[in-house]
Amino acid sequence: MEGMVLQLDSPRCLIVDDSPCFLATARRLLEQQGIPVVGTVSNTADAVRTAAELQPDVILVDVELGAECGFDLAQRLDESFAAAVILISTHAEQDLADLVSGSPAVGFVSKTELSSDAIRDLLRAERDRVAPVSEPRER
């Protein structure tokens, strides 16, 4: 993720989840809230291929992708692409806190809390962590 410029206004988003119903609902919600969803995929192979093709600014990755592991995918995406990875799940954040903090993801959003504001807040926090705003000097 080094050298990544985080797009905060309307970050182009790729969603990776094995539930077609969730993919459709999340796409509709985020697009209504001003986040363009450039693609939705349901497995690791499609996620890697689509991320390479579309170059999204942010990739939402479900931690449970059927038989595949979202944490493994997050690692692979972080190593290969200049996109912020945000983990999503139906599980509560505290249940996954250690796994999330050990991952390269910029953060976690519960599926029930998914919104453009939640995504932008995580991207803003990551931007500030990577390139903190310097305090003005006193004269």
Side-chain angles (χ1 to χ4, degrees):
M1 200 170 74
E2 291 300 316
M4 175 176 60
V5 176
L6 293 172
Q7 171 60 266
L8 295 179
D9 292 336
S10 56
R12 297 169 63 254
C13 182
L14 172 64
I15 307 172
V16 185
D17 193 288
D18 61 334
S19 166
C21 181
F22 177 78
L23 288 172
T25 301
R27 170 179 237 150
R28 189 170 43 256
L29 171 77
L30 293 176
E31 287 182 341
Q32 287 172 351
Q33 296 179 356
I35 293 189
V37 176
V38 296
T40 59
V41 297
S42 60
N43 61 55
T44 295
D46 288 344
V48 172
R49 181 184 47 75
T50 304
E53 179 183 315
L54 300 177
Q55 299 293 309
D57 300 306
V58 63
I59 305 172
L60 304 181
V61 177
D62 187 9
V63 300
E64 293 178 341
L65 294 170
E68 299 177 319
C69 177
F71 291 102
D72 292 342
L73 176 57
Q75 184 70 44
R76 187 169 173 191
L77 293 170
D78 182 71
E79 291 169 355
S80 303
F81 303 103
V85 176
I86 296 174
L87 294 166
I88 59 175
S89 179
T90 56
H91 296 285
E93 184 172 7
Q94 63 267 23
D95 295 344
L96 302 168
D98 290 341
L99 292 169
V100 170
S101 67
S103 80
V106 299
F108 173 88
V109 176
S110 167
K111 288 183 180 182
T112 59
E113 301 295 319
L114 184 63
S115 69
S116 63
D117 287 342
I119 290 171
R120 288 186 181 108
D121 288 348
L122 286 173
L123 294 178
R124 193 172 295 110
E126 179 64 9
R127 180 201 59 200
D128 294 347
R129 186 190 69 77
V130 172
V133 177
S134 60
E135 293 293 320
R137 288 190 197 174
E138 291 185 30
R139 293 180 186 232

